[in-house]
Amino acid sequence: MVSSRKGKSQGEGEIAVRMDAISKRFGEIVANDGINLTVYRGEVHALVGENGAGKTTLMNILYGLVKPDAGTITVDDMRLPVERGFLGTDYGLGMIHQHFMLVKRFTVLENIILGFEPSRGGFLDLRAAVRKVEDIMQRYGIEVPLDRRVEELSVGEEQRVEILKALYRNSRIIIMDEPTAVLTPQEIKKLFETIRMLVDSSHTIIFITHKLEEVMEIADRVTVLRRGRVVRTRRIDEVDPEELAIMMVGKKIEAPRRSKHAVSMESLLSLHDVSLRSSRDIVLLSSIDFEVRKGEIFGICGVEGNGQDELFDVAIGLQKPSSGRILFRGKDITHLSTAKRRALGIAYIPPDRVTMGIVAGMSVKENMLLGRQREPGLSGTFFLKEDAITNLTQRLLKTFGINPPLPDAEIGTLSGGNQQKVIVARELSREPSLLIASQPARGLDIMATRLIHDSLVKHAEAGGGVLLISADLSEIVELSDRIGVMYKGRILSILERKEADEEKLGLLMLGFAQ
Amino acid sequence: MMPTQKLLERLLAPALALAFAMVIATVIVALLGEDPFHIASVMLSGSLGSLRSLANTLEEATPLILTGLCVAIGMQSGLFNIGGEGQLVVGAFIAAWLGVKVPVSNAGLHVALCLVAAGIGGAIWAGIAGILRAKLGAHEVINTIMLNYVAFISTNYLVNLPYFKKPGQIPQTFDVAPSAEIPRLTFVYNYTRLNAGLFVAIGAALLIWIVLSKTSFGFEIRCVGHNPVASRVGAISVVRSMILAMSIGGFLAGVAGAERVLGVHKHFVSPFPFGYGFGGIAVALLARNNPFGVVVTAIFFGALASGGAQVDMVTSIPRELVTVIQAIIILFIACEYLFSRYRPRMRVLKDE
């Protein structure tokens, strides 16, 4: 089955979708910057790239959910009225979102026909609906019990309902936005079988993902996006996974800016056999074992979604591991709260700035205080030390070049880069002994990135430790003393910086242990 | 410069809502065949025109300040406490119980005991909903509504027990001992029911303002109200903040109930005079959960109530008109509130 897809290149001639010079910006963020994309009929076209690379925006534009600032779209030789706005379903497009768009209390059948109900004489003709849906299910080998309520279904089944919905609406081109993210391996296998069936009957699939193994398994061609631009489009039999990985995370790996300095052997943070399971009993972290030493930047790299966020949660105490122990300076902190860990000298930069790092609606000053509101220097037993807080804020705004330098400005009015600088300033000014930084420079411009990288290096050189979790390979290689590679919730290997090159890391990130 | 502009911006929406409500009320009055200007002048004189009406206005405002604060502090932590009514009733019953049954001769001590006990009763009542929400995720709106009914029905049961019930047709307690009465402010107007509870209410507003804006605890509550996830990451105990915000609110509602019993009615009666708890929701909404705004708004609603009573007495317009005006104001404010609260989130959704 698997091999039957490869090499069987569908006729590269009939163009199903053609997007030309698509651009879209949200405020200051350029999501799509002159993207060209051609998808042939009957192919599985993978769209890969990191978070924020612009994949979902591009597909939302194609489906008519987001209006681009510039560019044209042609579907089946028909020019879409982009300026006027359009509905993808009217042009044979179907989209399966990452978060399913189903009415939980309705049955499967009701969900499938919703909005396109067959009627006879003004009455709902359920029998006709059942006939049509059963016909589709049979043709493509997709099975879901039609009379069950969606709330009783598994995630995999819900996804099949979405696919049926698209087929019921006669979609010839189906966009799937990270369809495997929520599935178990068995469900993924089943999804891939369905995709093959669909393609065999000349449907076209656009498959958004950042898991490269899936690209290699299911796709005919792949387009790599990075920072809103197309890096390349290649046929799958012409690329290898390492090449893709490098295209995704950025080619250039710069010489490290770090001066030589002593990393002591003294351990700051150590994880011993730490595992985490989800409520659905999916393994999120499995036997994690490593330590961060004084004066060291320990990097964790890997393709996103391989347990990095969970590792962060466990390290700062947002989630308690299912098993294993976490030590900080020899003290067992496995069961300590986030607040207590902070008090011991752990600071952190969370991976998601907007939802985890700042409190929108409150001022810059108040955000500088977040997590520090009980620190003796900034607060007495009851009362906040207003002057101390203002002074600290003004000092940090200046040191970190945060713009505008107004302590009372609402933080939501700052750019993403400046918001991130507020977080970094807040955390580093606590003079922690350990900094856990997750995606610290994601989505930032060069200057802000540089400043944040320099701050991390300075922190390590002053004898602190840094646990750096990042999907950006060049960031990891540039800054880290040692590098752990995460794959499917495990640390596959820990390399010294000297022995780490992009090829080695790329292979490890894909799960190929030496 | 900036603060003034901000303040004006904040006042704009309530002012507009008020203006719209007045226009609509004018139309209704005209349709009922009365002269709107006459009615307005009766309203004005009935609420502020004399010491007597001023006392009436403040007397109506006193419990509304407390219940308004109750809703406001819940909102600050992101929770919608609409159980003020039930928390007030619990407090009222406890105040009457201790006021009647506990023999304390020292007047100040007796009042203080009743107020604190009533507050604790209200705090527990609201705290239950807070715990259910913070620990189990059960929605506080549903829980506080249901706890309202539990409060109404169980106090009704209790007051009918021979231990509490004053013999007669009406299910009410005996009057509280003189030592448990809150002194009335007779220096304003001889026959007023306005009492020293007003100072308690204003003091509470001041205290809540200080807690919210000056203390680390209040900072945590506001953080939780804005972004619970970031708060959790920021080492704030979201559970603790939510439960405490609800309980403090319940405490204030309980004190409001005690004020009604000890300062106005002298006894607990079932069903207990209705509406101050729910009125607090309107007050907090219009005040945008600002403690000082709550005081101003509560006095405004108090004026509407006392002016409305006057209108009812001397013209053909029923006092329900006031309720209509209140409802319209709330409607407009609610629209504005929903938009400003949910607009950012809607934008984020679109941008994804």
Side-chain angles (χ1 to χ4, degrees):
Chain A
M1 269 297 249
V2 180
S3 56
S4 75
R5 288 288 323 142
K6 286 193 182 161
K8 177 184 148 190
S9 80
Q10 308 283 335
E12 293 188 9
E14 276 188 82
I15 291 173
V17 175
R18 197 191 159 96
M19 302 179 81
D20 274 315
I22 299 289
S23 289
K24 177 72 191 175
R25 47 166 59 233
F26 295 111
E28 309 186 14
I29 303 155
V30 181
N32 285 173
D33 187 4
I35 290 187
N36 297 317
L37 178 72
T38 305
V39 180
Y40 296 112
R41 175 156 316 131
E43 74 169 350
V44 178
H45 194 112
L47 203 55
V48 302
E50 294 185 89
N51 280 357
K55 301 166 291 190
T56 301
T57 303
L58 185 68
M59 287 302 106
N60 281 338
I61 288 173
L62 175 59
Y63 191 56
L65 291 177
V66 171
K67 203 169 143 183
D69 300 331
T72 59
I73 306 174
T74 316
V75 171
D76 290 339
D77 297 325
M78 214 182 328
R79 176 89 173 261
L80 302 193
V82 170
E83 294 82 22
R84 196 151 44 80
F86 63 94
L87 265 176
T89 39
D90 294 344
Y91 296 89
L93 289 157
M95 185 157 180
I96 291 155
H97 296 268
Q98 219 171 336
H99 306 285
F100 302 138
M101 308 286 176
L102 297 172
V103 184
K104 294 257 176 198
R105 304 294 304 254
F106 280 15
T107 64
V108 170
L109 182 69
E110 286 165 340
N111 267 288
I112 291 171
I113 64 174
L114 191 67
F116 294 82
E117 305 88 353
S119 68
R120 197 165 53 184
F123 289 95
L124 187 58
D125 188 357
L126 272 185
R127 244 190 242 162
V130 171
R131 266 200 309 277
K132 188 169 174 198
V133 175
E134 276 180 344
D135 181 48
I136 295 169
M137 292 208 297
Q138 209 163 27
R139 198 161 357 134
Y140 301 104
I142 306 170
E143 271 170 44
V144 198
L146 289 181
D147 51 356
R148 288 266 291 283
R149 284 192 188 179
V150 164
E151 61 191 351
E152 299 164 11
L153 301 183
S154 72
V155 180
E157 286 174 315
E158 283 187 53
Q159 190 173 59
R160 267 169 262 154
V161 176
E162 287 280 17
I163 294 172
L164 282 173
K165 210 163 91 181
L167 294 172
Y168 180 83
R169 296 175 180 193
N170 298 321
S171 306
R172 299 179 307 279
I173 301 157
I174 299 178
I175 304 160
M176 298 185 177
D177 190 356
E178 299 199 23
T180 58
V182 289
L183 301 185
T184 63
Q186 292 76 13
E187 287 169 334
I188 293 175
K189 217 171 134 202
K190 203 151 180 190
L191 171 68
F192 283 5
E193 278 169 21
T194 305
I195 290 179
R196 289 185 188 109
M197 291 280 260
L198 290 172
V199 173
D200 285 341
S201 58
S202 82
H203 284 79
T204 306
I205 307 285
I206 304 177
F207 188 94
I208 304 181
T209 185
H210 48 230
K211 294 183 185 157
L212 296 181
E213 51 180 321
E214 292 173 359
V215 175
M216 301 309 291
E217 187 180 341
I218 194 76
D220 297 300
R221 292 196 310 147
V222 54
T223 294
V224 182
L225 294 187
R226 189 151 56 86
R227 298 196 176 162
R229 290 164 181 260
V230 174
V231 181
R232 286 201 77 167
T233 298
R234 300 285 292 271
R235 277 170 50 140
I236 215 71
D237 44 18
E238 295 171 350
V239 286
D240 51 39
E242 299 95 275
E243 210 181 325
L244 277 180
I246 293 162
M247 279 199 264
M248 246 169 92
V249 296
K251 200 169 271 165
K252 65 175 189 315
I253 296 178
E254 294 167 1
R257 246 179 305 117
R258 304 196 49 183
S259 59
K260 270 207 149 166
H261 72 282
V263 173
S264 83
M265 289 310 282
E266 198 185 323
S267 161
L268 263 181
L269 177 81
S270 58
L271 279 75
H272 301 275
D273 200 19
V274 168
S275 297
L276 179 71
R277 290 168 167 278
S278 76
S279 51
R280 280 184 79 204
D281 216 33
I282 292 171
V283 177
L284 300 171
L285 294 176
S286 154
S287 301
I288 302 274
D289 247 308
F290 70 88
E291 64 173 7
V292 182
R293 297 167 189 157
K294 278 187 81 171
E296 177 183 53
I297 298 182
F298 187 91
I300 299 269
C301 71
V303 177
E304 269 186 81
N306 275 290
Q308 293 95 321
D309 287 350
E310 289 78 9
L311 177 64
F312 176 82
D313 287 357
V314 165
I316 73 162
L318 285 182
Q319 295 197 62
K320 299 277 141 62
S322 317
S323 64
R325 293 197 316 146
I326 305 171
L327 302 185
F328 179 65
R329 297 179 139 175
K331 184 175 154 46
D332 191 329
I333 60 164
T334 316
H335 299 287
L336 290 192
S337 67
T338 305
K340 291 208 175 105
R341 292 185 201 201
R342 278 182 83 86
L344 287 175
I346 299 178
Y348 42 80
I349 301 166
D352 188 331
R353 172 167 64 236
V354 180
T355 60
M356 298 172 81
I358 61 163
V359 178
M362 289 174 85
S363 68
V364 170
K365 193 166 80 180
E366 289 173 311
N367 273 283
M368 285 288 190
L369 188 63
L370 181 65
R372 308 187 60 176
Q373 66 277 0
R374 305 254 173 199
E375 261 175 44
L378 300 175
S379 171
T381 322
F382 296 109
F383 292 100
L384 295 169
K385 293 178 178 161
E386 211 53 63
D387 291 343
I389 296 164
T390 308
N391 286 340
L392 173 77
T393 306
Q394 268 159 349
R395 184 164 60 79
L396 292 178
L397 290 177
K398 211 165 146 199
T399 336
F400 284 81
I402 295 165
N403 209 8
L406 304 170
D408 290 315
E410 201 264 290
I411 188 126
T413 60
L414 271 61
S415 71
N418 281 299
Q419 290 175 358
Q420 187 73 356
K421 283 197 238 172
V422 168
I423 297 172
V424 174
R426 173 180 78 204
E427 297 299 317
L428 282 177
S429 64
R430 295 176 58 223
E431 295 174 2
S433 44
L434 174 72
L435 178 71
I436 302 172
S438 184
Q439 323 290 359
R442 172 149 66 197
L444 301 192
D445 58 23
I446 296 166
M447 287 314 288
T449 304
R450 186 133 219 148
L451 181 114
I452 285 165
H453 285 174
D454 285 345
S455 308
L456 299 185
V457 170
K458 228 185 285 169
H459 179 68
E461 282 170 357
V466 177
L467 173 59
L468 172 66
I469 304 172
S470 175
D472 185 342
L473 198 55
S474 54
E475 181 175 51
I476 290 281
V477 173
E478 196 178 318
L479 299 174
S480 311
D481 296 294
R482 290 186 302 146
I483 299 165
V485 187
M486 271 196 103
Y487 178 73
K488 291 198 171 164
R490 295 171 48 205
I491 295 204
L492 276 194
S493 179
I494 294 176
L495 306 171
E496 293 285 334
R497 215 211 77 76
K498 299 188 286 291
E499 42 174 2
D501 57 50
E502 56 187 66
E503 193 185 350
K504 220 179 216 172
L505 289 174
L507 280 171
L508 284 167
M509 279 165 66
L510 296 169
F512 301 120
Q514 304 106 308
Chain B
M1 24 159 251
M2 235 182 65
T4 331
Q5 196 192 340
K6 248 188 178 169
L7 187 71
L8 283 178
E9 252 172 55
R10 281 201 194 159
L11 288 178
L12 183 68
L16 276 177
L18 204 62
F20 276 119
M22 289 305 167
V23 169
I24 293 175
T26 308
V27 172
I28 294 174
V29 167
L31 285 176
L32 289 173
E34 285 267 4
D35 175 12
F37 293 101
H38 174 61
I39 300 293
S41 85
V42 173
M43 283 283 293
L44 211 58
S45 75
S47 55
L48 304 168
S50 64
L51 280 178
R52 185 184 69 88
S53 11
L54 186 66
N56 280 344
T57 294
L58 293 176
E59 188 251 311
E60 287 285 342
T62 303
L64 286 176
I65 294 173
L66 290 164
T67 54
L69 290 171
C70 161
V71 177
I73 192 165
M75 283 298 195
Q76 291 277 4
S77 80
L79 298 187
F80 196 2
N81 177 4
I82 56 178
E85 198 74 47
Q87 293 144 26
L88 180 144
V89 166
V90 168
F93 182 81
I94 291 174
W97 177 0
L98 300 183
V100 174
K101 300 288 182 185
V102 178
V104 182
S105 50
N106 183 311
L109 209 63
H110 201 174
V111 170
L113 172 76
C114 291
L115 284 179
V116 171
I120 291 172
I124 292 172
W125 217 249
I128 294 171
I131 290 170
L132 287 173
R133 167 62 198 265
K135 292 266 192 199
L136 303 173
H139 205 285
E140 75 279 1
V141 167
I142 311 280
N143 290 324
T144 48
I145 289 177
M146 292 197 293
L147 282 165
N148 279 345
Y149 289 102
V150 178
F152 303 153
I153 293 164
S154 49
T155 52
N156 180 57
Y157 169 76
L158 288 169
V159 80
N160 276 296
L161 294 177
Y163 179 73
F164 291 112
K165 189 165 180 274
K166 183 180 172 185
Q169 293 295 313
I170 309 162
Q172 65 179 38
T173 62
F174 289 95
D175 280 3
V176 296
S179 58
E181 286 180 15
I182 301 178
R184 290 186 172 170
L185 306 183
T186 43
F187 63 88
V188 180
Y189 175 67
N190 228 347
Y191 304 105
T192 187
R193 303 198 299 177
L194 176 65
N195 61 72
L198 176 67
F199 304 127
V200 174
I202 291 173
L206 190 65
L207 196 67
I208 295 293
W209 177 77
I210 290 172
V211 167
L212 283 175
S213 59
K214 302 283 176 199
T215 70
S216 44
F217 168 61
F219 173 76
E220 293 181 344
I221 288 186
R222 287 187 294 125
C223 284
V224 169
H226 275 100
N227 184 345
V229 177
S231 301
R232 218 175 133 228
V233 175
I236 293 170
S237 167
V238 176
V239 168
R240 198 181 80 119
S241 297
M242 281 185 173
I243 293 172
L244 281 175
M246 284 294 278
S247 302
I248 292 171
F251 188 95
L252 297 173
V255 169
E259 184 272 337
R260 287 290 95 178
V261 167
L262 307 177
V264 178
H265 306 301
K266 307 284 159 93
H267 57 254
F268 181 85
V269 58
S270 180
F272 200 70
F274 198 73
Y276 294 112
F278 292 124
I281 299 171
V283 169
L285 268 175
L286 194 57
R288 295 186 144 211
N289 308 319
N290 176 305
F292 295 136
V294 164
V295 174
V296 175
T297 314
I299 292 174
F300 171 68
F301 278 14
L304 280 182
S306 60
Q310 185 80 0
V311 168
D312 194 49
M313 267 191 292
V314 303
T315 73
S316 69
I317 301 290
R319 73 164 72 195
E320 279 71 26
L321 177 71
V322 169
T323 319
V324 172
I325 296 178
Q326 280 186 14
I328 296 167
I329 295 174
I330 295 163
L331 211 61
F332 279 112
I333 290 290
C335 292
E336 198 276 336
Y337 180 77
L338 284 178
F339 275 110
S340 61
R341 198 182 155 116
Y342 292 111
R343 208 182 300 134
R345 228 175 281 165
M346 275 152 60
R347 199 180 300 143
V348 167
L349 264 181
K350 257 197 262 161
D351 285 9
E352 263 173 9

